[in-house]
């Protein structure tokens, strides 16, 4: 038991090394994490589907491959959890929806393929808000995920399952997707590291689209180096994604030096004001002191258009979602109503009424409304113009600052059910993360301490393709904060 | 009342790329249902479109051929509506920033030229196909439908005309001219029966200067049915106006078998396509040098070719028009006219006997066993008076049967025309000796007898004698 | 800006789903609230501002016209809810 405990507490990079040198076998690593999952799941529900048989098969496949070309599988045998909106060939991919409860994809998402190629072993698919529409993982058709720090609270969302699984040592790292903060906000609520890369750096091929111009896949881990390593695995140009950018991928994890001296850090005034909970703000400010102590120049900057970010986001994201979710119609795959129907139109209406949950319907309705005749200019077109202003605000900020910072979320993890009834309040949970998606820039959330026993996230934003800079400062801060060492025993004690 | 008809067309052309518009599936027509599909064609979660370069190139070529301006920047939109043959329930199509706009096409109506404005040429993806199952075999009264997505995602160029066409006949000629251009460009097979060329029409009738109400007519799948549907609709609207009734703005469905355009049942809410820019596809900002490269690849188009055929080869207009109407025919003609034979004669043979044989056999000139050189040879044999025109017809049939060259057929069958006057004289003498009555008849003034004698000479030579030469010689002999 | 239940019904039709009377009420209220909130954007002067539809500055992402293998028919039909003689089956369209 003690040994296993130690094993599951190792970082992904450590595990990779131990497996590569033969000190641990991939089977025993897989078994250890599956045991931990078995132990923790009843209280967490971080996974929608687990694939232990597949995992062991993968391990043997991988071992055969490893013997052939060892150097090409740098993370051979290291387990991973993948959000259930990423397509996995022959493995159920539900997107947290009744609509896809029994859907078995016929192809692997590019990210999944890359992870497999690196020898990483998929254990299961993690829980999420239905079709990624939510900030708490409560809208999942399969029931909510609980926060490992306090199981009466939400893990954040929509990548709440991935965040909870990493935080509770069910897996060393995980993959999530982030449309308005869906990686960073749950990372913040669960006390882990989560990163949304530059739009176009990681392929979206195989990622179930929610809002195509905002969605981005990203890594989640318990430390910055693992996070950087996973980014290195999944980033890179993909000819199957027409919005994928062609750029050299640096070996992120190997290049972290933790050098903060002279780095100009701007504190975004609009994201660090009165709308931030006192405990969160306090920890945020202490982290700024720490940054200064490490040699950074910290100053306040204003991005006035961010005031509109939430409105702009809710219009653009729901508009795109209303169109992306139109394909779930009961014709080619997925759920179809069992009710008698007169014609195909009635089949659609019943299938979609039964197959979608309230939050998804609400966003489809909003999106349909803002795109419909007579409202397009007032809402959709206007929002796109203000998106330009927001991106321009960031562009001018990069003339003065190397990086920008803010709290990741205005609050710590809230109670299950607390905000579910009030969509407006729920949307506020993403106020600090949304501008990043609108601007298409990279940002990371790292834990910066506990407020009333709950983790608080610190967000570092960088210019387009500034991943390395963001990761390096995060790495330095992580070392100075020492969050995991101090808190590991507190997370979901057995 | 004074009526004026106004027609605008919307034409969809399937581009003959190897793969589909946004995925690598085969764009070939047919195949077992759903065997040309992938996660993209089926709208599976997470699938993404990536634009086919060749489809864009074909779109540019068509736009240039129709004298359109290529937009320096164009984007794709999503057209959102639910229909079972649409895998994503939106169609990726160009909307307010299309590939090209502002073109024109002149059509030759015989006694006048009509210049038709081309509003735009844009790119989009095709939908799948619904197969209606039930006794009627049609959408009305079907028990259920089956969905085949093989066609979903095949690249389409949509051509929208200005409402410049003034009659159903002009519409028909326009569509034929357009088809001919597209086939010249080699960017589509334009088979209306396979749906690779589809045409919808907007038609309105104004009465005494009052502007008419636009009615859309769909589902015409041949040139004839386009013409018939427009004539039907023109008549229907005209008689309504004469009765003082108003015309409802609507979409009508052409029912070919019954020869009527029936109103399509519209759903309660008007269509609201909620167009917005397709976030999965970045803009096209076409490199002008690429556009110029494509422009250079445009072959000589029918109108220019028609003019050239008349001036270069002195072809009569009707002959030139038939030849130009089909690129294969025009090419064949030109290669054949390369020989020493007279181009005018070659042209006449092509639109005459050769077309008749092709029609009868139901094959194209490309599939025929005759080569341009063979035709040149045949016409030359005729012009050299080596064979008679009657023989030439026989030789042509023989060429189609055997694929042998006309000269070798003539030699093999000993069909060479007897032009040797000495040899002929011998035969004529024989015939005159055998038919002394006829000789007397002629000499006593019966012109009729000449023909009889010539006929007998021809019979004796088994048609190999040159008839006019025979005629001259017999006449000479009789009057000597 | 209040959204009526009729408007909600129209939007639901465009979105292709039925709503119960209860849902219509809830959505009318919630959509009104969200749009009220979003209406703050009307105060921004956006004359001379170009809309952002694409956040990267990529253009002309084109692939070569090459045929790639399609799915096997087993894969195509694997998730089909209703099938007739091996083809996707839907209720009648009109
Ligand atoms: Mg169209
Ligand atoms: Zn395909």
């Amino acid at each position: 038991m003690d040994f296993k405990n130690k094993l599951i507490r190792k970082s992904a990079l450590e595990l990779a090394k131990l497996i590569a040198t033969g000190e641990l076998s991939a089977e025993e690593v897989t078994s250890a994490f599956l045991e931990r999952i078995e132990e923790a799941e009843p209280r967490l529900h971080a996974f929608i589907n687990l694939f232990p048989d597949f995992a062991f098969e993968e391990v043997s496949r991988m071992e055969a491959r490893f013997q052939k070309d060892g150097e090409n599988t740098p993370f051979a045998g290291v387990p991973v959890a993948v959000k259930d909106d990423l397509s996995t060939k022959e493995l159920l991919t539900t997107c947290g929806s009744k609509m896809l409860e029994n859907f078995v994809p016929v192809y692997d998402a590019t990210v999944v393929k890359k992870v497999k190629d690196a020898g990483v072993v998929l254990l299961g698919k993690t829980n999420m808000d239905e079709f990624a529409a939510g900030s708490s993982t409560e809208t999942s058709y399969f029931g909510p995920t609980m926060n490992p720090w306090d199981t009466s609270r939400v893990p954040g969302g929509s990548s709440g399952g991935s965040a909870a699984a990493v935080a509770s040592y069910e897996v060393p790292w995980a993959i999530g997707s982030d449309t308005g903060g869906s990686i960073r906000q749950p990372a913040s609520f669960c006390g882990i590291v989560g990163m949304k890369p530059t739009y176009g750096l990681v392929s979206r091929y195989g990622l179930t689209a929610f809002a195509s111009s905002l969605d981005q896949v990203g890594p989640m881990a318990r430390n910055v180096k693992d996070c950087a390593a996973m980014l290195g695995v999944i980033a890179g140009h993909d000819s199957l994604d027409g919005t994928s950018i062609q750029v050299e991928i640096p070996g992120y994890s190997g290049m972290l030096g933790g050098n903060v001296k002279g780095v100009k850090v701007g504190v975004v005034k609009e994201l660090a004001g009165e709308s931030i909970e006192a405990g969160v703000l306090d920890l945020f400010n202490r982290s700024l002191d720490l940054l200064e102590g490490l040699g950074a120049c910290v100053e306040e900057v204003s991005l006035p258009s961010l005031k509109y970010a939430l409105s702009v986001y809710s219009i653009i994201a729901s508009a795109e979602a209303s169109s992306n979710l139109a394909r779930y119609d009961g014709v080619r795959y997925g759920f179809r109503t069992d009710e008698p129907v007169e014609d195909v139109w009635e089949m659609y209406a019943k299938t979609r009424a039964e197959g979608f949950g309230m939050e998804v319907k609400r966003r489809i309705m909003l999106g349909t409304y803002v795109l419909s005749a007579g409202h397009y200019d007032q809402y959709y077109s206007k929002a796109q113009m203000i998106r330009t202003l927001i991106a321009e605000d960031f562009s001018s900020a990069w003339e003065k600052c190397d990086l920008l910072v803010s709290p990741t979320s205005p609050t710590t993890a809230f109670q299950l059910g607390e905000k579910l009834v009030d969509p407006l309040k729920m949307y506020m949970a993403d106020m600090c993360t949304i501008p990043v998606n609108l601007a298409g820039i990279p940002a990371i959330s790292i834990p910066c301490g506990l407020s009333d026993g709950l983790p608080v996230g610190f967000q570092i934003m960088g210019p387009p393709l500034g991943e390395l800079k963001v990761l390096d400062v995060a790495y330095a801060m992580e070392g100075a904060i020492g969050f995991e060492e101090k808190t590991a025993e507190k997370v979901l004690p057995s | 009342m004074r009526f004026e008809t106004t027609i605008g067309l919307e034409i969809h052309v399937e581009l003959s790329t190897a793969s589909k518009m946004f995925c690598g599936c085969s764009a070939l027509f047919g195949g077992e249902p759903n065997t040309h599909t992938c996660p993209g064609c089926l709208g599976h979660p997470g699938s993404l479109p990536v634009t086919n370069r060749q489809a864009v190139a074909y779109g540019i070529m068509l736009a240039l051929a129709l004298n359109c301006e290529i937009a320096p920047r164009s984007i794709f939109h999503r057209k959102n509506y639910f229909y079972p043959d649409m895998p994503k329930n939106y169609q990726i199509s160009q909307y307010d920033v299309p590939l090209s706009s502002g073109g024109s096409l002149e059509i030759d109506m015989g006694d006048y030229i009509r210049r038709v404005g081309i509003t735009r040429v844009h790119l989009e993806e095709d939908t799948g196909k619904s197969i209606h199952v039930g006794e009627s075999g049609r959408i009305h009264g079907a028990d259920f439908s089956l969905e085949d997505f093989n066609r979903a995602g095949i690249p389409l160029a949509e051509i929208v005309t200005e409402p410049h066409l003034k009659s159903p006949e002009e519409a028909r000629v326009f569509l034929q001219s357009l088809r001919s251009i597209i086939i010249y460009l080699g960017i589509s097979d334009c088979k209306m029966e396979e749906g690779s060329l589809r045409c919808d029409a907007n038609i309105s009738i104004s009465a005494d200067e009052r502007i008419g109400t636009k009615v859309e007519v769909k589902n015409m799948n041949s040139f004839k049915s386009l013409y018939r549907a427009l004539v039907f609709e023109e008549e229907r609207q005209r008689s309504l106006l004469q009765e003082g009734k108003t015309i409802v703005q609507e979409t009508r469905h052409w029912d070919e078998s019954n020869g009527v355009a029936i109103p399509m049942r519209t759903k309660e809410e008007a269509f609201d396509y909620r167009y917005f820019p397709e976030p999965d596809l970045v803009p096209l900002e076409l490199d002008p040098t690429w556009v110029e490269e494509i422009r250079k690849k445009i072959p000589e188009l029918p109108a220019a070719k028609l003019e050239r055929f008349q001036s270069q080869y002195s072809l009569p207009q009707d002959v030139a028009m038939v030849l130009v109407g089909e690129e294969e025919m025009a090419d064949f003609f030109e290669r054949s006219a390369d020989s020493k034979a007279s181009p005018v004669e070659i042209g006449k043979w092509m639109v005459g006997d050769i077309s008749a044989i092709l029609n009868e056999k139901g094959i194209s000139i490309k599939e025929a066993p005759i080569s341009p050189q063979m035709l040149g040879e045949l016409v030359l044999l005729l012009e050299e008076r080596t064979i008679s025109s009657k023989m030439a017809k026989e030789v042509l049939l023989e060429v189609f049967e055997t694929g042998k060259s006309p000269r070798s057929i003539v030699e093999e069958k000993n069909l060479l025309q007897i032009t040797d006057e000495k040899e002929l004289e011998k035969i004529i003498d024989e015939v005159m000796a055998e038919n002394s009555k006829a000789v007397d008849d002629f000499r006593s003034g019966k012109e009729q007898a000449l023909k009889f004698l010539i006929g007998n000479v021809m019979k004796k030579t088994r048609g190999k004698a040159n008839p006019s030469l025979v005629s001259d010689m017999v006449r000479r002999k009789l009057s000597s | 800006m209040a959204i009526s239940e009729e408007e909600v019904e129209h939007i639901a039709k465009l979105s292709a789903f039925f709503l119960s009377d209860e849902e219509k009420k809830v959505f009318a209220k919630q959509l009104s609230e969200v749009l009220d909130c979003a209406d703050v954007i009307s105060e921004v002067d956006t004359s001379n501002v170009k809309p952002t539809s694409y956040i990267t500055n990529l253009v002309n992402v084109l692939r070569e016209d090459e045929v790639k293998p399609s799915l096997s028919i087993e894969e195509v039909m694997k998730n089909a809810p209703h099938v007739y003689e091996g083809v996707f089956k839907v209720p009648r369209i009109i």
Side-chain angles (χ1 to χ4, degrees):
Chain A
M1 186 64 207
D2 191 39
F3 167 70
K4 293 256 166 76
N5 257 333
K6 271 192 193 151
L7 191 160
I8 62 167
R9 288 199 168 175
K10 295 202 181 303
S11 73
L13 283 164
E14 284 168 342
L15 288 168
K17 210 168 170 190
L18 290 168
I19 295 168
T21 55
E23 282 167 71
L24 286 173
S25 76
E27 285 91 352
E28 65 187 309
V29 171
T30 307
S31 304
F33 281 100
L34 284 171
E35 266 174 50
R36 170 61 177 172
I37 288 169
E38 205 175 315
E39 174 197 36
E41 271 305 276
R43 286 173 291 161
L44 282 185
H45 191 228
F47 287 87
I48 294 176
N49 283 299
L50 285 159
F51 307 109
D53 295 345
F54 168 83
F56 285 115
E57 279 165 33
E58 194 70 0
V59 165
S60 15
R61 266 199 298 273
M62 192 258 315
E63 270 171 352
R65 247 181 67 209
F66 189 61
Q67 275 156 7
K68 262 178 36 201
D69 52 356
E71 64 273 47
N72 290 334
T73 50
F75 299 102
V78 182
V80 73
V82 170
K83 189 176 180 178
D84 211 18
D85 59 357
L86 282 154
S87 190
T88 45
K89 189 174 179 172
E90 285 166 39
L91 301 175
L92 286 164
T93 298
T94 72
C95 293
S97 181
K98 177 179 181 177
M99 203 55 111
L100 296 177
E101 188 173 5
N102 301 308
F103 178 67
V104 182
V106 293
Y107 75 102
D108 272 331
T110 297
V111 162
V112 171
K113 194 178 169 295
K114 283 180 176 250
V115 161
K116 279 185 179 174
D117 286 348
V120 178
V121 178
L122 173 68
L123 300 187
K125 305 290 292 288
T126 55
N127 202 7
M128 55 183 284
D129 283 294
E130 184 180 3
F131 285 111
S135 311
S136 67
T137 315
E138 291 170 288
T139 68
S140 168
Y141 171 69
F142 305 98
T145 294
M146 274 57 78
N147 190 311
W149 294 80
D150 175 350
T151 52
S152 71
R153 290 176 188 272
V154 302
S158 62
S159 312
S162 286
V166 172
S168 62
Y169 300 89
E170 289 184 321
V171 280
W173 55 8
I175 294 171
S177 67
D178 190 316
T179 305
S182 283
I183 286 175
R184 291 158 290 152
Q185 184 255 24
S188 164
F189 280 15
C190 292
I192 63 162
V193 180
M195 184 166 205
K196 184 210 92 85
T198 303
Y199 185 84
L201 185 69
V202 180
S203 169
R204 290 186 297 117
Y205 184 72
L207 167 68
T208 304
F210 181 70
S212 314
S213 78
L214 301 160
D215 295 339
Q216 194 59 191
V217 178
M220 302 171 88
R222 280 190 308 274
N223 65 65
V224 174
K225 223 166 186 164
D226 277 2
C227 186
M230 182 51 92
L231 181 64
V233 171
I234 61 177
H237 179 253
D238 181 11
S239 59
L240 298 173
D241 174 359
T243 60
S244 169
I245 40 187
Q246 242 153 348
V247 64
E248 200 66 46
I249 303 302
Y252 300 109
S253 64
M255 292 176 78
L256 301 181
N259 199 348
V260 185
K261 266 213 173 66
V263 175
K264 283 181 232 156
V265 175
V267 179
V268 182
K269 191 177 133 202
E270 287 75 14
L271 304 179
E274 66 266 36
S275 35
I276 310 296
E277 208 172 75
V280 172
L281 201 56
D282 182 44
L283 272 171
F284 175 69
N285 286 327
R286 275 196 267 160
S287 306
L288 291 180
D289 294 343
L290 191 138
L291 251 183
E292 268 183 325
L294 289 169
C297 315
V298 178
E299 55 174 322
E300 192 178 77
V301 290
S302 174
L303 283 71
S305 303
L306 294 198
K307 183 179 160 195
Y308 307 104
L310 205 57
S311 299
V312 166
Y313 174 84
S314 71
I315 292 164
I316 292 175
S318 58
E320 291 180 9
S322 72
S323 172
N324 283 327
L325 296 172
R327 65 187 62 194
Y328 307 104
D329 60 5
V331 174
R332 299 159 313 284
Y333 55 83
F335 172 77
R336 185 194 287 195
T337 184
D338 288 329
E339 300 287 311
V341 293
E342 270 298 302
D343 53 30
V344 77
W345 316 110
E346 197 181 352
M347 188 280 278
Y348 285 160
K350 285 186 172 167
T351 295
R352 289 166 62 81
E354 293 168 46
F356 287 137
M358 280 295 267
E359 184 59 33
V360 168
K361 282 184 208 167
R362 185 156 44 229
R363 301 216 189 177
I364 293 175
M365 299 274 293
L366 179 62
T368 303
Y369 184 85
V370 298
L371 287 175
S372 63
H375 305 293
Y376 183 88
D377 290 338
Q378 186 189 352
Y379 291 110
Y380 189 74
S381 179
K382 186 88 179 176
Q384 281 197 315
M385 289 177 197
I386 303 176
R387 184 173 185 183
T388 304
L389 297 177
I390 290 169
E392 283 171 0
D393 274 4
F394 275 104
S395 295
S396 18
W398 305 130
E399 285 165 18
K400 289 173 283 178
C401 312
D402 298 314
L403 299 168
L404 295 172
V405 295
S406 78
T408 307
S409 171
T411 68
T412 54
F414 44 85
Q415 291 285 329
L416 283 157
E418 186 186 326
K419 296 188 180 175
L420 204 50
V421 286
D422 189 346
L424 273 181
K425 265 195 194 146
M426 187 69 93
Y427 301 163
M428 285 295 288
D430 294 330
M431 62 163 278
C432 300
T433 47
I434 276 170
V436 167
N437 300 76
L438 289 171
I441 56 172
I444 199 168
S445 175
I446 58 165
C448 65
L450 295 176
S451 165
D452 278 338
L454 293 170
V456 170
F458 185 89
Q459 176 172 247
I460 308 169
M461 301 163 258
L465 298 173
E467 273 77 7
L468 201 53
K469 221 183 279 181
V470 169
L471 284 162
D472 205 32
V473 169
Y475 182 63
M477 286 185 72
E478 177 183 64
I481 296 166
F483 181 82
E484 198 191 346
E485 297 87 88
K486 287 178 199 152
T487 61
E489 303 301 323
K490 295 182 183 160
V491 188
L492 197 72
S494 6
Chain B
M1 266 191 266
R2 225 179 54 80
F3 296 106
E4 195 171 316
T5 301
T6 303
I7 298 167
L9 300 179
E10 233 182 79
I11 298 125
H12 287 87
V13 185
E14 278 186 356
L15 300 174
S16 49
T17 51
S19 65
K20 290 187 180 180
M21 182 78 199
F22 298 117
C23 70
C25 290
S26 165
L28 277 181
F29 175 78
E32 285 299 303
N34 298 308
T35 50
H36 298 170
T37 64
C38 70
C41 299
L42 298 168
H44 277 197
S47 58
L48 291 172
V50 186
T51 311
N52 184 336
R53 179 190 299 276
Q54 188 70 62
V56 176
Y58 283 173
I60 293 170
M61 195 184 259
L62 177 56
L64 291 173
L66 297 176
N67 308 302
C68 288
E69 199 73 52
I70 303 294
R73 179 177 185 273
S74 66
I75 61 172
F76 287 96
H77 272 69
R78 288 187 187 178
K79 180 181 185 180
N80 293 285
Y81 65 99
F82 281 83
Y83 207 86
D85 65 13
M86 278 230 301
K88 306 180 292 290
N89 285 318
Y90 59 79
Q91 181 197 28
I92 302 176
S93 173
Q94 294 193 306
Y95 176 56
D96 62 2
V97 198
L99 183 72
S100 68
S101 58
S104 66
L105 174 61
E106 283 179 355
I107 55 167
D108 190 340
M109 296 304 297
D111 33 7
Y112 63 93
I113 300 282
R114 171 76 67 207
R115 188 171 187 278
V116 183
I118 306 292
T119 316
R120 58 194 284 165
V121 175
H122 76 242
L123 294 167
E124 58 185 34
E125 56 175 342
D126 210 344
T127 62
K129 235 173 110 176
S130 300
I131 305 143
H132 307 292
V133 181
E135 267 173 44
S136 69
R138 280 177 302 165
I139 191 163
H140 293 275
D143 297 328
F144 57 88
S145 295
L146 301 176
E147 299 302 329
D148 174 7
F149 296 100
N150 282 351
R151 207 182 68 179
I154 289 180
L156 291 178
E158 180 174 331
I159 302 130
V160 183
T161 78
E162 295 291 322
H164 290 165
L165 296 157
K166 298 291 173 204
S167 70
E169 180 58 13
E170 285 187 12
R172 195 181 60 78
V173 171
F174 177 87
L175 191 61
Q176 265 163 345
S177 308
L178 179 67
R179 177 180 182 272
S180 168
I181 289 173
I182 293 169
I183 290 182
Y184 266 64
L185 296 175
I187 59 172
S188 173
D189 58 16
C190 286
K191 291 185 180 159
M192 285 190 90
E193 67 283 6
E194 286 182 6
S196 55
L197 175 68
R198 307 196 284 270
C199 181
D200 300 333
N202 285 301
I203 172 167
S204 66
I205 311 284
S206 58
D208 297 338
E209 311 296 310
R210 271 173 299 144
I211 290 172
T213 307
K214 203 164 76 175
V215 172
E216 193 181 9
V217 197
K218 287 177 176 270
N219 192 45
M220 289 82 76
N221 45 26
S222 66
F223 295 103
K224 201 180 95 200
S225 76
L226 170 70
Y227 177 77
R228 286 182 70 203
L230 288 173
V231 168
F232 171 88
E233 192 51 29
E234 193 179 40
E235 274 311 307
R236 187 187 69 88
Q237 291 187 27
R238 195 179 296 175
S239 49
L240 279 175
L241 291 173
Q242 269 164 342
E243 290 165 33
K245 291 182 181 152
T246 54
I247 289 155
V248 185
Q249 184 172 347
E250 62 186 350
T251 299
R252 289 179 162 249
H253 188 91
W254 174 247
D255 178 347
E256 177 71 31
S257 48
N258 293 311
V260 288
I262 43 176
M264 300 224 293
R265 237 207 285 171
T266 49
K267 291 206 284 155
E268 289 160 59
E269 64 273 9
F271 280 104
D272 182 347
Y273 293 125
R274 290 159 284 132
Y275 282 100
F276 75 98
E278 163 60 287
D280 290 330
L281 295 171
V282 299
L284 293 175
E285 287 183 10
L286 301 170
D287 180 354
T289 59
W290 190 37
V291 174
E292 282 319 303
E293 267 168 45
I294 294 169
R295 195 193 295 278
K296 284 191 194 120
K297 284 187 196 146
I298 296 180
E300 182 184 32
L301 294 175
K305 190 163 283 192
L306 180 68
E307 214 162 276
R308 185 168 62 81
F309 274 21
Q310 291 177 80
S311 59
Q312 184 180 339
Y313 300 111
S314 315
L315 288 183
Q317 196 190 7
D318 57 338
V319 172
M321 259 172 63
V322 174
L323 292 178
V324 166
E326 258 180 82
E327 198 188 12
E328 288 177 0
M329 290 288 273
D331 279 354
F332 190 100
F333 165 76
E334 286 212 85
R335 284 196 285 146
S336 193
D338 231 13
S339 67
K340 289 194 194 94
S342 142
V344 175
E345 282 308 308
I346 290 171
K348 283 183 183 162
W349 275 88
M350 285 193 68
V351 305
D353 288 66
I354 291 182
S355 291
I357 298 171
L358 292 176
N359 266 343
E360 193 194 297
K361 293 191 185 284
I363 54 171
S364 73
I365 187 77
K366 247 192 183 157
E367 295 160 318
I370 188 168
S371 71
Q373 290 70 29
M374 292 178 190
L375 177 59
E377 204 175 288
L378 183 73
V379 174
L380 204 58
L381 285 169
L382 187 64
E383 284 178 329
E384 287 169 347
R385 298 181 147 204
T386 309
I387 55 173
S388 66
S389 64
K390 192 169 154 246
M391 275 182 213
K393 284 177 202 270
E394 276 168 42
V395 171
L396 182 65
L397 285 173
E398 193 70 20
V399 170
F400 269 88
E401 282 316 308
T402 63
K404 288 181 184 162
S405 85
R407 199 171 285 279
S408 66
I409 293 170
V410 166
E411 276 165 9
E412 257 171 53
K413 302 208 150 189
N414 195 21
L415 292 174
L416 288 173
Q417 187 161 263
I418 302 166
T419 46
D420 183 342
E421 296 201 16
K422 280 208 178 105
E423 197 177 332
L424 268 181
E425 203 170 339
K426 229 174 78 193
I427 297 165
I428 292 168
D429 288 344
E430 278 173 38
V431 169
M432 284 173 65
E434 288 162 15
N435 298 285
S436 49
K437 190 178 177 292
V439 174
D440 295 343
D441 282 354
F442 180 79
R443 287 194 172 135
S444 61
K446 283 189 185 160
E447 190 68 14
Q448 204 63 24
L450 179 66
K451 270 198 182 149
F452 176 79
L453 288 169
I454 294 170
N456 272 289
V457 172
M458 295 305 288
K459 215 181 268 170
K460 212 160 206 165
T461 61
R462 278 178 299 139
K464 289 192 288 179
N466 182 320
S468 58
L469 188 60
V470 171
S471 165
D472 287 354
M473 287 176 70
V474 171
R475 200 180 279 276
R476 231 184 301 140
K477 274 198 177 278
L478 289 171
S479 48
S480 66
Chain C
M1 144 125 221
I3 305 242
S4 67
E5 279 176 48
E6 286 72 44
E7 264 179 296
V8 165
E9 210 175 318
H10 173 69
I11 296 298
K13 260 190 196 151
L14 284 176
S15 311
F17 44 68
F18 280 134
L19 291 181
S20 67
D21 289 345
E22 179 57 29
E23 283 175 318
K24 273 178 218 162
K25 258 186 217 123
V26 174
F27 281 149
K29 181 175 162 285
Q30 286 177 337
L31 287 183
S32 301
E33 284 171 7
V34 172
L35 286 168
D36 270 343
C37 231
D39 274 333
V40 61
I41 63 170
S42 64
E43 72 187 39
V44 185
D45 178 11
T46 49
S47 38
N48 308 320
V49 179
K50 285 209 178 98
T52 293
S53 304
Y54 313 93
I55 200 66
T56 64
N57 38 30
L58 288 173
V59 292
N60 300 334
V61 177
L62 301 169
R63 51 167 254 278
E64 295 312 312
D65 181 24
E66 284 159 9
V67 176
K68 298 269 159 68
S70 292
L71 293 171
S72 70
I73 196 69
E74 292 72 32
E75 288 173 304
V76 171
M77 301 310 295
K78 177 170 169 173
N79 288 285
H82 284 241
V83 179
Y84 178 83
E85 291 184 351
V87 187
F88 298 108
K89 180 188 173 187
V90 296
R92 61 162 170 253
I93 297 172
I94 283 191

